[in-house]
């Protein structure tokens, strides 16, 4: 079979400003895949940085096995991108979308590519564009999940242009839409989370503890797009990943997620700990709910879901039909690399793991490559990923090093190993990291 993995981008990647290192290298994972499927030929059609498919060194040189051909596309439209794939005459193509600021819509762009491929008679594993749109727009997601009968936080939608409709019309004395929004917000339970309806992860989110504070936020000059004002659900944060192929769905057991002082998950500081199988979390009920959602959306490929568990009920916060920050954690947990999972999907097989070991993912400050390689020699360290932005002005934007530790039969052994690593590399393990780990450890 000729198999194409594709991932387009909607933003220009400033390659010269970024340094990215992955251990093990993608090349190693591709070599394992080529040995597993010796009769298949693999193609990668992508746009930079494509973090889940390729390694790029500081000189922008690719390093892949001979049986894997990589094409860095220059296409600016889904149609042009699809034409490049069609020219390779694949037997099957697989969507492998990732994310980038400011809008989490690259998976939607890939769905449009998928539609073009189907028009050309190519079998394609991809999410329908309509489903991608429903998940991209958080207000549509909210209403969709609510209509399905599942729990979502109480929310009010704020249309930015209507909220300020009186500005160019001085003769308008009352903005009725703004009064309506305020009336809705007065009846909400506080605190609330205020977020962009089409943004990326928790970037730009704010927490307001009162109606007055929420109005103040909406009235700030920096607010320039639609917003969702959502009741803060003070529960336990979880995330999970769903695999769907041809109507068949498999839900991975969830991972606990750490939260910051505002109760929000922070993509640059988050800890992921799992898998969680404790019956008190009603895992079977969660699985049934997510299978139903995936089938209603006709999902076909990877999807990630953010969840809150409170008072015996599961709340759906977001659905991201793409690869995510959880994907490598799950790959390490299940001993199935991402490219192996993608290849299985290409062949119509659900990548169900035979076993899931206790695993934890956490972030360290930026470190030199020599130290990074030394840490990777630790038997318990399954995966490392570092991204460094040399052009960043603020410290928090310069990057991080993600470490995945796992391979244990129980969580107590996993905790002990992380403590040993924190003592061995104490100059890298921040006090706050260990404190956050202890907090979520209590929920296991």
């Amino acid at each position: 079979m000729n198999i194409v993995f594709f991932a387009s981008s909607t933003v220009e990647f400033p390659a010269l400003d970024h340094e990215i290192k992955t251990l093990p290298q993608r090349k190693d994972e591709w070599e394992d895949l080529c040995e597993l499927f010796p009769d298949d030929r693999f193609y990668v059609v992508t746009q930079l940085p494509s973090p889940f498919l390729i390694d790029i060194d500081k000189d922008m040189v690719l390093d892949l096995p001979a049986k894997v051909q990589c094409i860095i596309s220059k296409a600016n439209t889904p149609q042009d991108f699809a034409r490049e794939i069609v020219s390779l005459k694949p037997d099957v193509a697989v969507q492998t979308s990732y994310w980038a600021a400011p809008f989490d819509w690259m998976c939607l762009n890939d769905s449009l590519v998928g539609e073009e491929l189907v028009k050309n008679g190519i079998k394609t594993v991809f999410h329908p564009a309509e489903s991608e749109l429903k998940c991209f727009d958080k207000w549509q997601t909210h209403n969709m999940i609510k209509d399905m009968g599942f729990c979502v936080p109480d929310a009010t939608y704020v249309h930015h242009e209507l909220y300020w409709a009186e500005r160019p019309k001085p003769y308008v004395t009352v903005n009725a839409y703004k009064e309506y929004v305020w009336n809705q917000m007065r009846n909400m339970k506080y605190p609330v989370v205020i977020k962009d309806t089409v943004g990326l992860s928790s970037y730009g989110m704010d927490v307001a503890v009162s109606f007055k504070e929420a109005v103040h936020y909406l009235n700030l000059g920096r607010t320039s797009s639609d917003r969702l004002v959502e009741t803060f659900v003070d529960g336990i944060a979880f995330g999970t990943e769903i695999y769907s192929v041809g109507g068949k769905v498999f839900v991975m057991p969830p991972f606990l997620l750490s939260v910051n002082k505002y109760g929000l998950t922070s993509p640059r500081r988050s800890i992921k700990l799992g898998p969680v199988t404790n019956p008190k979390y009603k895992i079977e009920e969660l699985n049934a709910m997510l299978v139903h959602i995936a089938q209603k959306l006709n999902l076909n490929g990877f999807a990630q879901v953010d969840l809150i568990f409170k008072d015996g009920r599961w709340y759906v916060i977001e659905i991201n039909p793409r690869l995510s920050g959880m994907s490598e954690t799950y790959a390490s947990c299940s001993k199935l690399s991402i490219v192996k999972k993608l290849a299985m999907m290409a062949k119509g097989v659900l990548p169900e793991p035979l076993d899931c070991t206790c695993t934890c993912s956490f972030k360290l400050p930026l470190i030199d490559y020599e130290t990074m390689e030394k840490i990777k020699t630790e038997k318990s360290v399954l995966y490392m990923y570092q991204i460094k932005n040399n052009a960043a002005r603020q410290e928090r934007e310069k990057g991080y090093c993600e470490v995945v530790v796992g391979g244990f039969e129980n969580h107590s052994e996993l905790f002990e190993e992380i403590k040993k690593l924190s003592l061995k590399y104490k100059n890298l393990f921040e006090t706050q990291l260990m404190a956050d780990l202890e907090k979520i450890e209590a929920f296991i």
Side-chain angles (χ1 to χ4, degrees), residues 34 49 67 87 90 114 154 167 176 197 233 247 253 319 330 343-344 362 395 414 416:
C34 291
K67 285 182 63 177
S87 69
D154 184 28
R167 277 180 169 173
T197 59
V233 181
I319 303 173
Y330 272 120
M344 292 170 70
F362 51 86
E395 192 65 32
L414 173 63
E416 286 302 314

Side-chain angles (χ1 to χ4, degrees), residues 156-172:
T156 296
Y157 172 68
V158 184
H159 187 287
H160 180 73
E161 290 188 11
L162 287 177
Y163 190 84
W164 293 111
E166 75 279 13
R167 277 180 169 173
K169 301 175 177 64
Y171 53 87
V172 175

Side-chain angles (χ1 to χ4, degrees), residues 130-230:
E130 182 180 355
S131 299
E132 292 278 17
L133 182 62
K134 288 179 181 178
C135 297
F136 162 63
D137 185 330
K138 296 176 179 61
W139 181 234
Q140 288 196 48
T141 307
H142 173 93
N143 290 324
M144 173 185 66
I145 299 301
K146 186 177 180 180
D147 290 344
M148 288 184 189
F150 302 121
C151 294
V152 290
D154 184 28
T156 296
Y157 172 68
V158 184
H159 187 287
H160 180 73
E161 290 188 11
L162 287 177
Y163 190 84
W164 293 111
E166 75 279 13
R167 277 180 169 173
K169 301 175 177 64
Y171 53 87
V172 175
T173 58
V174 177
N175 183 330
Y177 178 79
K178 186 179 293 185
E179 293 294 335
Y180 168 80
V181 168
W182 287 351
N183 189 60
Q184 294 290 103
M185 289 168 55
R186 286 189 187 95
N187 295 323
M188 295 182 71
K189 182 180 178 181
Y190 285 80
V192 296
V193 176
I194 304 176
K195 59 187 179 182
D196 192 333
T197 59
V198 294
L200 176 67
S201 190
S202 59
Y203 296 116
M205 279 190 189
D206 272 278
V207 176
V209 298
S210 66
F211 168 74
K212 182 178 179 180
E213 190 173 311
V215 170
H216 173 72
Y217 175 87
L218 293 176
N219 290 344
L220 289 174
R222 64 176 179 171
T223 306
S224 58
S225 61
D226 296 354
R227 287 291 189 267
L228 196 61
V229 182
E230 192 174 77

Side-chain angles (χ1 to χ4, degrees), residues 18-90:
H18 288 72
E19 296 178 39
I20 299 173
K21 189 173 182 65
T22 304
L23 296 174
Q25 293 183 321
R26 299 299 178 205
K27 179 184 178 182
D28 297 333
E29 296 178 343
W30 281 111
E31 286 178 344
D32 289 343
L33 184 66
C34 291
E35 288 182 11
L36 184 64
F37 300 113
D39 297 327
D40 296 331
R41 184 168 181 83
F42 302 101
Y43 297 86
V44 173
V45 181
T46 190
Q47 293 173 315
L48 299 179
S50 199
F52 296 101
L53 295 178
I54 58 177
D55 287 315
I56 307 172
D57 68 15
K58 62 181 180 180
D59 298 316
M60 302 302 295
V61 175
L62 296 174
D63 187 13
L64 290 170
K67 285 182 63 177
V68 181
Q69 180 179 343
C70 181
I71 298 169
I72 305 298
S73 173
K74 301 294 184 182
N76 290 318
T77 69
Q79 293 75 24
D80 288 343
F81 194 90
R83 274 191 281 273
E84 292 188 61
I85 298 173
V86 172
S87 69
L88 300 173
K89 299 180 180 179

Side-chain angles (χ1 to χ4, degrees), residues 243 250 252-253 275 330-336 340-341 344 349-357 409:
Y243 311 132
F250 181 79
M252 291 293 290
Y330 272 120
S332 299
C333 166
S334 58
K335 301 175 184 177
L336 285 174
K340 190 175 292 184
K341 290 180 181 181
M344 292 170 70
V349 179
L350 276 175
E352 300 181 39
L354 297 176
D355 186 27
C356 289
T357 60
E409 294 298 320

